[in-house]
Amino acid sequence: MSATTGLGELVRLALRRDRVRLPGWIGSIVAATAGTAASFPTTYPDAQARLGALMTIDNPGTTALVGPLYGEGDYTYGIMVGHQLLGMVAVVAALMSIFTVVRHTRAEEESGRAELVRAAPVGRTAPALAALLVAVGANLVLAAGLTLALGGLGIETVTWRGSALFGAAVGAVGLVLAGVASVTAQLTEHARAASSMAGLVLAAAFVVRATGDVSVEGLSWASPIGWAQATEPFYADDGAPLALALGLAVVLLAGAVVLGRRRDLGSGLLTARPGPARAGSALSGPFGLAWRTSRGSLVGWTLGVFFFGLFYGPILSESSTFLDNVPVLEEFVPDVEASVAELFAAMIIAVVAIICAIPALQTVLRLRTEETSGRAGPLLATALSRTRWALANHVLALLAGAVVLTAGGLGLGLGAAWSMDEPSWVGTATGAALAYLPAVAVVVGLGALLHGWVPRAVGAAWLLVVVGFFFSYFGELLDLPQAVLDVSPFTHVSQQPAVAFEAAPLAWLSLVALLAIGLGLVGLRRRDLLDA
Amino acid sequence: MTRAVEVRDLVKTFGRTRAVDGADLDVAPGEIHGFLGPNGAGKSTTIRVLLGLLRADSGTVRVLGADAWHDAVALHRRLAYVPGDVSLWPNLTGGEAIDLLSRLRGGVDRTRRDELVERFALDPSKKCRTYSKGNRQKVALVAALAADVELLVLDEPTSGLDPLMEAVFAELVTEAGAAGRAVLLSSHTLAQVEKLCDRISIIRDGVVVESGTLAAMRHLTRTSLDAVTASPVDLTPLPGVHDVTVDGERVRCSVDTEHLDAVVGALHAAGLRSLVAQPPTLEELFLRHYATAEARS
Ligand SMILES: Nc1ncnc2c1ncn2[C@@H]1O[C@H](COP(=O)(O)OP(=O)(O)OP(=O)(O)O)[C@@H](O)[C@H]1O
Ligand SMILES: [Mg+2]
């Protein structure tokens, strides 16, 4: 029996299990990308309008968020697609790859299902390889889909060649992160930790790229996202940098195989140590339990978001110096009241806010995992009421949101205060970030509502996060009607410090969030507990 | 006195599956009640309804005199539950999980807890994710048995325990019974049920088909006879006689208990040399029920 016996069967099994999930990922990525690209000619009908777009977008803040500008002054529709969309689409493809790989490797081991599979005539490396093949396949299909969808738009400057390169660049980043996830899946015993570690690598790749594009010459070459953007689709159309990505993916895969050979099924590289034989006083209720089970991940998020903000702080100061040198640009800055640094701070804080919704929502989704793992049954067979159980968890989710928001604002504020020598930034940025708490609470509320009434579909709450991301990146760019933008709770928050604080929307959002949580609890009291 | 468990005409469906289809179940206070049935018969579903984890479609479900669904939280202070497949929080130690579950029920009796940990030979300082299946089971058992409750609801609680630990479990259940606690014990280990239970109920396809003491149930079934007589005897024509095998003067058969008298009379008439009569084992009792269940489905 070779190490890869059973590979075909396992790939088929994984595809069968992902028959809805993967087409969903790929379909939405392709649709969102092509839809955005298709809207450019309507939003910017002539050269004049494109020049205007170029002026507003050619600044360090935007560069840090989406990537470096390229082309020589003519901001064609093609370059718009390559410049504004490539980085974000690549990040989403990377997330798809991470989740796919971890779901079919470490999550399977953690659940014990892998044991059944490996006891069959199945080779030692077959499961990891199968997961990776599925991820590779998904990225290939995604690349092909993007090529066809973009090329098929028939926009003159959105060429077939560029479209193919755009698709390939996105797929290449996906492949690298699939490789990263196969390695992290070997390191830890828990699927969630494996995803988080790979996610951290992705975040690092993003921040390195941002720093490189804005201030440190050449640093972007240390990031796979930088490689993708170095292809300059629809302009230079240079595929060479992608070779780096493919090389790295192969190295990571080999590393994962080597690590996988060295360890036992189900184990990680770290072994568990014994702990206290009695519970401390903190572990006496549902809140203590929720905290114990999520504290590792929450501490990780807090630190991660703090450093994310800290990295962006100096970019704020870059952006204000930048504008001082090119005073004519002032005209293109929409809000005359605000300084450029304030505008960019508002943009970054808006993005940070949506990132902060992720750990908050994860905390809510933990409830469903508690049910399906069979842990909730014995818990709720004690004198613990369902309401108290869920509410403790929702409260932790809201607290997590508040803490992570504060960390992000504080990081950005400290970075800005330090680089611009203006201490007032600390308070400004932290306050502006915290103002998003009601919006994060609405995401938590949707999670709670779904958990109460349709627990199997609770994952749909992620849509609100995805929509939030999409709108805060492309909402204004696409000139979407306000009614559509209003779907995202994040667009209701006044974008401090660029514009003044408004209390009314926050009150509304808080009310909606509380209502949703309350309704969710009502639903939870009426339904069956999910089965193990 | 109110019954510990009183289920009347319980129906619970999952989409098209009728998991429980009009079941009745009674457990008297202080009684150790065996709950038996083939896989998928509806035992766990019934138990989850008793615990208020699932909502009954119809029927009445009263536990310790209160409604299982509406009064769930108050009820749960007075009962303890052990599932058959215990899943624990991977990053908590066993001791922490025990204390957490006990505190949520209303408090930890430290001496009792430590005594149980000792009797089950459990190391409470290990992380739950490193426990073997049997050890995870022990964690849930310690948490449940340490509680001062009126009712223990045990759904295949010993799956995964080694024989030594099963013996410890049996002792503890007997002690619980002696202390006046009611126990509802679902199990596939028939010897255990036979040894521990005062009464049993058998559920099949979501319906409780038999309920009573083991002795009463045996009465409804067959006794197997193995006899040697002076002259060969033909028992086949007698009513209530089954599975006759004749080997010279030796005859073996099984007899419906109500016809025993006539059959023994016939053997006696043929000059009885030796007679071994065996009541049906629980095993035989079940195999008959389970087999009919299979034939029907
Ligand atoms: N959540 C659910 N959704 C659909 N069907 C279910 C669900 N839970 C149980 N069932 C079905 O209900 C029936 C009874 O299941 P139950 O778990 O109560 O059986 P059981 O008697 O405990 O069996 P076992 O001895 O195997 O533990 C089975 O046919 C099962 O498939
Ligand atoms: Mg069961």
Side-chain angles (χ1 to χ4, degrees):
Chain A
M1 188 174 91
S2 84
T4 57
T5 310
L7 185 60
E9 279 302 320
L10 290 180
V11 169
R12 225 165 311 156
L13 172 67
L15 290 177
R16 167 85 174 76
R17 290 184 61 210
D18 279 356
R19 67 193 183 284
V20 177
R21 202 175 288 251
L22 278 180
W25 272 101
I26 296 173
S28 14
I29 298 175
V30 171
T33 311
T36 310
S39 76
F40 284 151
T42 354
T43 321
Y44 308 104
D46 50 25
Q48 181 83 38
R50 291 203 312 259
L51 186 66
L54 173 66
M55 294 294 207
T56 49
I57 227 157
D58 184 12
N59 60 66
T62 308
T63 301
L65 284 178
V66 304
L69 184 62
Y70 55 89
E72 284 147 17
D74 188 7
Y75 199 43
T76 65
Y77 298 129
I79 293 176
M80 275 187 197
V81 172
H83 170 224
Q84 296 182 20
L85 302 186
L86 180 54
M88 285 325 291
V89 175
V91 166
V92 181
L95 289 176
M96 172 185 81
S97 302
I98 292 172
F99 291 140
T100 304
V101 168
V102 172
R103 182 172 143 77
H104 293 294
T105 52
R106 182 51 72 174
E108 285 296 287
E109 279 189 50
E110 199 180 3
S111 72
R113 283 190 292 267
E115 206 161 300
L116 270 180
V117 169
R118 276 274 298 277
V122 161
R124 189 171 298 275
T125 47
L129 220 52
L132 206 75
L133 275 184
V134 170
V136 169
N139 280 296
L140 285 180
V141 174
L142 176 61
L146 286 170
T147 307
L148 292 176
L150 286 177
L153 287 177
I155 302 169
E156 197 191 334
T157 49
V158 182
T159 58
W160 280 103
R161 189 186 151 87
S163 303
L165 195 61
F166 185 98
V170 167
V173 175
L175 285 188
V176 171
L177 269 297
V180 170
S182 350
V183 171
T184 59
Q186 304 296 331
L187 296 181
T188 66
E189 282 182 1
H190 300 289
R192 215 162 66 170
S195 308
S196 305
M197 275 167 72
L200 221 58
V201 173
L202 177 62
F206 191 84
V207 169
V208 163
R209 193 232 87 224
T211 317
D213 290 345
V214 173
S215 44
V216 187
E217 186 79 26
L219 185 62
S220 298
W221 284 97
S223 162
I225 305 175
W227 302 337
Q229 292 180 329
T231 60
E232 303 193 346
F234 309 104
Y235 178 67
D237 281 340
D238 174 15
L242 297 186
L244 285 171
L246 291 184
L248 180 57
V250 170
V251 169
L252 287 169
L253 170 60
V257 169
V258 170
L259 289 176
R261 284 222 186 107
R262 286 159 159 260
R263 65 174 185 88
D264 297 335
L265 185 70
S267 71
L269 290 188
L270 296 169
T271 44
R273 280 166 312 187
R278 290 181 193 286
S281 55
L283 188 63
S284 52
F287 187 84
L289 176 64
W291 167 241
R292 265 300 288 277
T293 41
S294 13
R295 70 179 174 196
S297 132
L298 292 182
V299 168
W301 275 99
T302 307
L303 290 178
V305 171
F306 175 79
F307 283 110
F308 184 85
L310 202 61
F311 263 101
Y312 273 93
I315 292 170
L316 291 189
S317 87
E318 293 264 347
S319 61
S320 49
T321 7
F322 168 84
L323 213 70
D324 290 343
N325 297 340
V326 197
V328 65
L329 272 188
E330 295 271 17
E331 282 174 41
F332 291 96
V333 174
D335 197 309
V336 280
E337 300 289 314
S339 79
V340 180
E342 282 170 340
L343 276 175
F344 296 145
M347 275 171 66
I348 292 163
I349 288 170
V351 172
V352 165
I354 300 168
I355 295 178
C356 294
I358 298 175
L361 184 54
Q362 274 182 341
T363 308
V364 176
L365 298 192
R366 209 184 58 85
L367 286 178
R368 189 200 133 126
T369 322
E370 288 286 289
E371 286 184 56
T372 52
S373 67
R375 288 191 287 261
L379 206 58
L380 293 174
T382 68
L384 175 62
S385 73
R386 294 183 182 200
T387 309
R388 211 154 74 78
W389 173 62
L391 199 58
N393 205 74
H394 297 335
V395 168
L396 180 67
L398 293 175
L399 278 178
V403 169
V404 182
L405 278 169
T406 310
L410 199 64
L412 183 69
L414 283 174
W418 171 66
S419 58
M420 287 189 267
D421 209 13
E422 280 177 44
S424 66
W425 268 104
V426 178
T428 311
T430 310
L434 263 177
Y436 279 93
L437 184 57
V440 170
V442 170
V443 175
V444 168
L446 179 63
L449 186 67
L450 291 172
H451 176 253
W453 293 93
V454 271
R456 291 190 192 280
V458 70
W462 284 119
L463 280 179
L464 209 51
V465 179
V466 173
V467 163
F469 256 115
F470 190 75
F471 285 178
S472 64
Y473 262 89
F474 305 118
E476 261 170 66
L477 206 73
L478 291 180
D479 239 352
L480 288 173
Q482 194 58 40
V484 174
L485 290 178
D486 281 349
V487 170
S488 160
F490 299 94
T491 57
H492 296 261
V493 180
S494 54
Q495 302 222 335
Q496 293 181 79
V499 298
F501 172 75
E502 268 182 84
L506 303 194
W508 277 114
L509 288 172
S510 308
L511 203 66
V512 168
L514 289 181
L515 214 64
I517 291 177
L519 277 176
L521 293 176
V522 171
L524 178 63
R525 286 171 55 116
R526 301 162 59 95
R527 71 169 170 85
D528 285 348
L529 204 68
L530 290 183
D531 264 314
Chain B
M1 210 162 146
T2 53
R3 292 197 178 87
V5 173
E6 184 179 2
V7 175
R8 286 286 161 276
D9 211 15
L10 169 65
V11 176
K12 178 68 197 172
T13 56
F14 297 105
R16 290 221 188 118
T17 320
R18 290 181 83 82
V20 180
D21 197 3
D24 297 317
L25 182 67
D26 282 292
V27 179
E31 169 183 279
I32 303 181
H33 194 100
F35 193 31
L36 307 167
N39 293 133
K43 301 181 293 297
S44 298
T45 306
T46 307
I47 286 176
R48 288 165 70 81
V49 172
L50 287 178
L51 294 169
L53 299 177
L54 300 180
R55 188 173 198 166
D57 291 356
S58 65
T60 43
V61 182
R62 301 192 70 78
V63 178
L64 300 169
D67 185 278
W69 177 262
H70 291 287
D71 308 323
V73 175
L75 260 179
H76 292 172
R77 274 184 234 286
R78 303 162 61 195
L79 62 80
Y81 163 60
V82 178
D85 202 350
V86 176
S87 171
L88 298 166
W89 300 272
N91 57 345
L92 261 57
T93 64
E96 285 178 315
I98 292 171
D99 288 353
L100 173 72
L101 289 168
S102 307
R103 283 172 186 173
L104 285 172
R105 193 174 289 110
V108 195
D109 177 349
R110 282 215 172 182
T111 3
R112 175 80 177 143
R113 168 204 190 268
D114 292 345
E115 180 205 327
L116 286 169
V117 165
E118 189 132 318
R119 279 171 83 175
F120 275 117
L122 177 74
D123 176 356
S125 65
K126 275 186 155 181
K127 290 272 162 63
C128 288
R129 66 162 161 275
T130 66
Y131 278 133
S132 62
K133 169 165 172 49
N135 281 327
R136 284 202 303 273
Q137 210 68 36
K138 288 181 196 172
V139 169
L141 280 169
V142 170
L145 292 168
D148 183 17
V149 291
E150 295 158 60
L151 171 66
L152 291 168
V153 180
L154 312 173
D155 190 359
E156 295 183 45
T158 55
S159 59
L161 288 195
D162 66 43
L164 209 65
M165 289 305 135
E166 253 189 79
V168 172
F169 168 79
E171 272 170 40
L172 286 165
V173 170
T174 315
E175 284 170 25
R181 293 184 190 153
V183 180
L184 179 63
L185 171 66
S186 147
S187 174
H188 290 300
T189 316
L190 299 175
Q192 184 187 69
V193 171
E194 196 163 15
K195 191 165 114 196
L196 291 177
C197 295
D198 305 321
R199 288 190 336 127
I200 57 177
S201 292
I202 300 175
I203 186 171
R204 197 180 71 198
D205 293 338
V207 185
V208 174
V209 288
E210 293 266 29
S211 202
T213 63
L214 208 50
M217 269 192 208
R218 284 207 170 107
H219 193 70
L220 295 174
T221 55
R222 297 167 190 169
T223 304
S224 60
L225 296 183
D226 186 339
V228 179
T229 47
S231 54
V233 58
D234 184 14
L235 295 175
T236 352
L238 295 178
V241 177
H242 310 266
D243 316 322
V244 183
T245 52
V246 182
D247 178 12
E249 275 78 50
R250 185 168 181 196
V251 60
R252 271 174 290 186
C253 64
S254 55
V255 181
D256 289 342
T257 310
E258 71 244 50
H259 295 110
L260 202 54
D261 189 40
V263 175
V264 174
L267 290 170
H268 178 67
L272 199 49
R273 292 267 166 81
S274 86
L275 175 65
V276 179
Q278 255 174 349
T281 60
L282 198 53
E283 201 118 5
E284 283 164 324
L285 226 139
F286 286 116
L287 286 179
R288 270 183 51 208
H289 279 300
Y290 290 24
T292 36
E294 215 148 82
R296 275 176 37 172
S297 63

